[in-house]
């Protein structure tokens, strides 16, 4: 009995002891927790609390404008709004996604894909889920501030390009930064940033891009701004002044409407590109927001290839414009006498094969000057045999063919200049002498770009001083390559090119300019052999490629114009008039006959170029351009006005 009562007295004491230790332990845990909250992790929780009260919204820096050489704006910006998604609370974002997608007319898959792309970013960094907010989107966001606090609007500056694709390949376009560009930027670019993707936008992206700012504001429990804290203003991108002359660019663009080709106009004294156009084109305004997959696929699959910048990327046979290089190689190498002449009966046989002249009845006795003026194929066939492919390749390489000119645009192609070593390296085959005969008139394996032709001729008529073509106007002279050419060679070639335009029977006589010493060379390059043409039949897409390269004045040239018209047929008909129009505009402007910005129709407001949309261009082809007939050896035709002598046309 006593033992029982003794045990009963001990039980409450043991319970009290256990309870006491438990309380002490709990208090220790609470103290440890408070210590971690207030001392160890105080900064972290302070930041989390601050985020609930303070919201950081980026201020996007506008890109720098693009100006022409006289300071006229070609590309600038316009204000717009983007929709931001605040991702501080992932669970809240996930819960509200269906309502957000419905209110902003987006798909859930699209938003989730954007969220997946931004996983590498910290949660407190917002992302753009709709680049261009409509008035309906803005109304939706404002009316749902309380129940959808994760949406915010961001004022941005969208890129504004001339409408209709004017100068599109030169200016390029902008778009959302890719993963490769993020890596190459060294941390400067982040997902969602807008950067240059093509043309000058890409070439000078670092210069055009500014530095984004940040605005910090105090928000209430429903996300509405109730006060502002500090703000770091954005630093706008720097503008760039181009060598482009807006007035000459207008003429070039208008001349190419409805055609497939390119124009490059360069000042050979400095390398400044005063006009550069390529058609068909695209509208870079379509990229300024976010181009859809369907639109992008359509552009890439378009058989007209509107994304191809033909001025620097169209690698085609040069045809008879290559004869200028052949003439220079002949005179400079001295492998063939300067008074060399041949008799042209309309064809010649080499290595068991007959090679025809474009003029079926021949040109009679021909020296170098007459060969250039009348574009005699037989003369240059014989010259090519005398020089040999390696000597031709040597001069071509030193005069700018077969490698990039270095123009400040991404994506320039090098072209092809064949040689014995080249064929062995590429095809593992020997070079046959008969192939040289075709190369001598700009056919066969040779391929050039319009800018290479302008660069080559500009260097030749400048006595071997080749200035790197460039589009950024700068006080510093462009890099120069010297390959000395004798004065006698320059004079002979110049006189020949002068005769092409100004002498009776010259292949570009219809493009003569009274009072202006326009010199040039026509060319037409076959895209298929005569045998192949007989097999497949005459098709519009198989018409000859028309070329023309010209300069003015005859001494100390100020402007070089290279023109390419694919499927144009004869260089004297399709390409030379375009160069003539540009040179005429250059002199009219220089002489004050036509004020700036008035070289086009009065229906176009000053400073706003006309529409050059690709679809319109394709629907406005002339009857002559729509013909399917492809005369491989045309008879002489008078294309000049009655007041001028008859003009023969160069194939």
């Amino acid at each position: 009995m006593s033992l029982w009562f003794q045990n009963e007295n001990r039980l409450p004491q043991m319970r009290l002891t256990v309870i006491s230790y438990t309380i002490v332990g709990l208090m220790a845990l609470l103290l440890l927790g408070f210590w971690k909250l207030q001392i160890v992790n105080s900064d972290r929780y302070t930041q989390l609390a601050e985020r609930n009260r303070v919201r950081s919204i980026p201020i996007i820096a506008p890109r720098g404008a693009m100006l022409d050489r006289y300071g006229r704006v070609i590309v600038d910006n316009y204000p717009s709004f983007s929709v931001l998604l605040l991702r501080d609370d992932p669970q809240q974002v996930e819960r509200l996604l269906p309502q957000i997608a419905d209110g902003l007319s987006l798909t859930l898959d699209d938003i989730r894909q954007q969220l997946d792309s931004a996983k590498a970013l910290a949660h407190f960094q917002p992302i753009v889920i709709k680049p261009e907010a409509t008035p309906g989107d803005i109304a939706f966001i404002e009316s749902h501030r309380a129940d959808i606090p994760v949406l915010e609007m961001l004022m941005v500056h969208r890129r504004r390009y001339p409408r209709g694709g004017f100068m599109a390949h030169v200016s390029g376009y902008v778009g959302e930064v890719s993963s490769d560009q993020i890596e190459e930027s060294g941390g400067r670019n982040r997902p969602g940033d807008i950067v240059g993707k093509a043309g000058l936008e890409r070439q000078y992206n670092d210069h055009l891009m500014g530095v984004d700012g940040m605005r910090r504001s105090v928000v209430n429990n429903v996300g509405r701004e109730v006060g502002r804290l500090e703000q770091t203003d954005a630093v706008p991108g720097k503008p760039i002044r181009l060598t482009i002359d807006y007035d000459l660019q207008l003429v070039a663009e208008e001349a190419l409407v409805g055609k497939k080709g390119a124009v490059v106009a360069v000042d050979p004294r400095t390398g400044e590109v005063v006009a550069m156009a390529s058609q068909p084109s695209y509208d870079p305004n379509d990229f300024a927001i976010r181009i859809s997959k369907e639109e992008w696929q359509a552009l890439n699959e378009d058989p007209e290839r509107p994304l191809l910048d033909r001025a620097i990327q169209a690698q085609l046979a040069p045809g008879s414009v290559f004869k200028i290089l052949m003439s220079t190689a002949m005179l400079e190498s001295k492998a063939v006498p300067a008074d060399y002449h041949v008799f042209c009966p309309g064809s010649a046989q080499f290595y068991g094969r007959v090679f025809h002249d474009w003029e079926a009845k021949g040109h009679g006795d021909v020296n170098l000057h007459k060969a250039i003026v009348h574009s005699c194929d037989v003369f240059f066939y014989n010259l090519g045999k005398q020089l040999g492919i390696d000597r031709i390749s040597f001069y071509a390489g030193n005069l700018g063919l077969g490698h990039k000119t270095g123009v400040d645009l991404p994506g320039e192609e090098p072209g092809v200049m064949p040689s014995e070593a080249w064929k062995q390296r590429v095809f593992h085959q020997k070079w046959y002498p008969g192939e040289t005969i075709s190369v001598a008139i700009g056919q066969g394996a040779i391929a050039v770009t319009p800018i290479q032709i302008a660069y080559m001729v500009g260097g030749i008529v400048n006595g071997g001083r080749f200035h790197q073509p460039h589009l950024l106007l700068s006080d510093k002279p462009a890099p120069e390559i010297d390959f000395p050419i004798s004065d006698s060679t320059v004079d002979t070639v110049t006189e020949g090119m002068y005769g092409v335009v100004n002498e009776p029977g010259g292949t570009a006589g219809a493009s003569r300019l009274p009072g202006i010493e326009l010199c040039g060379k026509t060319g037409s390059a076959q895209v298929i052999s005569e045998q192949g043409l007989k097999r497949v039949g005459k098709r519009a897409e198989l018409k000859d490629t028309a070329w023309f390269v010209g300069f003015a004045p005859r001494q100390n040239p100020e402007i070089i114009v290279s023109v390419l018209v694919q499927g144009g047929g004869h260089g004297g008909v399709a390409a030379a008039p375009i160069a003539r129009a540009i040179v005429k505009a250059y002199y009219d402007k220089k002489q004050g006959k036509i004020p700036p910005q008035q070289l086009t129709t009065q229906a176009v407001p000053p400073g706003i170029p006309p529409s050059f949309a690709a679809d319109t261009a394709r629907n406005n082809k002339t009857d002559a351009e729509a013909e399917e007939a492809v005369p491989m050896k045309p008879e002489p035709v008078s294309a000049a006005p009655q007041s001028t002598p008859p003009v023969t046309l160069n194939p």
Side-chain angles (χ1 to χ4, degrees), residues 138-208:
I138 296 173
F140 171 77
I141 294 170
E142 290 295 339
S143 62
H144 290 79
R145 287 284 188 187
D147 51 320
I148 310 180
V150 296
L151 292 181
E152 187 58 76
M153 287 184 297
L154 173 68
M155 206 278 277
V156 295
H157 297 271
R158 296 279 173 221
R159 213 59 166 149
R160 176 166 51 198
Y161 300 94
R163 55 190 171 88
F166 177 89
M167 214 178 82
H169 293 95
V170 175
S171 65
Y173 57 86
V174 295
E176 192 169 329
V177 64
S178 65
S179 56
D180 291 339
Q181 287 177 305
I182 292 174
E183 293 179 5
E184 294 172 0
S185 70
R188 180 180 179 183
N189 294 332
R190 299 165 298 177
D193 283 351
I194 300 299
V195 298
K197 307 289 281 187
L200 292 171
E201 292 279 22
R202 179 166 184 171
Q203 183 74 21
Y204 295 109
N205 181 68
D206 292 344
H207 188 92
L208 292 166

Side-chain angles (χ1 to χ4, degrees), residues 444-488:
I446 185 174
V448 301
T449 63
I451 196 168
Q452 286 178 328
I453 294 298
Y455 178 76
M456 176 191 76
V457 174
I460 291 174
V461 298
N462 257 341
R465 293 185 301 278
F466 295 83
H467 297 276
Q468 181 175 301
H470 56 282
L471 287 146
L472 184 67
L473 194 62
S474 174
D475 294 333
K476 299 179 181 178
E480 179 183 323
I481 295 176
D482 290 327
F483 183 71
I485 298 174
S486 65
D487 292 341
S488 61

Side-chain angles (χ1 to χ4, degrees), residues 344-626:
C344 171
S347 65
Q349 185 171 340
F350 302 93
Y351 310 106
R353 177 186 167 190
V354 176
F355 290 81
H356 295 277
D357 193 283
W358 73 271
E359 175 62 88
K361 60 185 180 183
H363 295 94
D365 190 62
V366 182
N367 60 10
L368 178 59
H369 179 81
K370 185 177 179 180
I372 296 174
V373 173
H374 297 276
S375 196
C376 176
D377 291 331
V378 170
F379 180 91
F380 288 98
Y381 290 149
N382 284 277
L383 180 59
K385 179 182 178 182
Q386 298 276 353
L387 293 177
I389 188 60
D390 282 341
R391 184 178 281 112
I392 296 172
S393 179
F394 168 79
Y395 280 96
N398 282 285
L399 296 177
L401 303 186
H403 54 82
K404 299 178 182 180
T405 65
V407 65
D408 49 346
L409 282 174
E412 183 187 8
E413 295 292 348
V416 175
M417 186 58 230
S419 65
E420 291 189 22
W422 169 85
K423 189 176 182 184
Q424 185 63 43
R425 182 179 68 255
V426 175
F427 297 103
H428 306 292
Q429 298 175 359
K430 64 174 292 187
W431 181 269
Y432 294 99
E435 297 175 89
T436 307
I437 308 303
S438 295
V439 171
I441 62 164
Q443 297 282 174
I446 185 174
V448 301
T449 63
I451 196 168
Q452 286 178 328
I453 294 298
Y455 178 76
M456 176 191 76
V457 174
I460 291 174
V461 298
N462 257 341
R465 293 185 301 278
F466 295 83
H467 297 276
Q468 181 175 301
H470 56 282
L471 287 146
L472 184 67
L473 194 62
S474 174
D475 294 333
K476 299 179 181 178
E480 179 183 323
I481 295 176
D482 290 327
F483 183 71
I485 298 174
S486 65
D487 292 341
S488 61
T489 297
V490 173
D491 291 341
T492 301
V493 171
T494 298
E495 288 302 314
M497 296 181 72
Y498 178 80
V500 168
V501 179
N502 298 281
E503 291 183 12
T507 55
S511 295
R512 186 180 301 115
L513 277 169
I516 299 174
E517 295 181 323
L518 174 62
C519 309
K521 183 69 189 79
T522 58
S524 296
Q526 293 179 339
V527 297
I528 187 172
S529 66
E530 293 186 28
Q531 293 77 11
L533 192 64
K534 291 177 181 178
R535 290 195 301 269
V536 302
K538 295 180 178 180
R539 300 179 186 175
E541 67 269 21
L542 299 180
K543 288 183 69 176
D544 290 357
T545 299
W547 287 91
F548 181 81
V549 58
F551 61 88
R554 179 162 42 168
Q555 300 296 325
N556 302 315
E558 300 174 10
I559 184 171
I560 299 277
V561 184
S562 172
V563 181
L564 160 71
V565 181
Q566 290 181 255
H570 312 299
V573 173
I578 296 176
R580 179 189 188 276
I582 295 172
V583 172
K584 183 178 185 301
Y586 172 83
Y587 275 93
D588 285 347
K589 183 176 178 182
K590 182 179 178 181
Q591 297 166 6
K593 295 180 180 178
I594 300 181
Q597 295 187 342
Q598 294 185 17
L599 296 177
T600 182
T601 62
Q602 294 298 321
V604 181
I608 301 178
S611 173
F612 298 99
D615 291 340
T616 303
R618 292 176 200 141
N619 293 330
N620 290 332
K621 291 184 177 180
T622 62
D623 294 339
E625 290 167 340

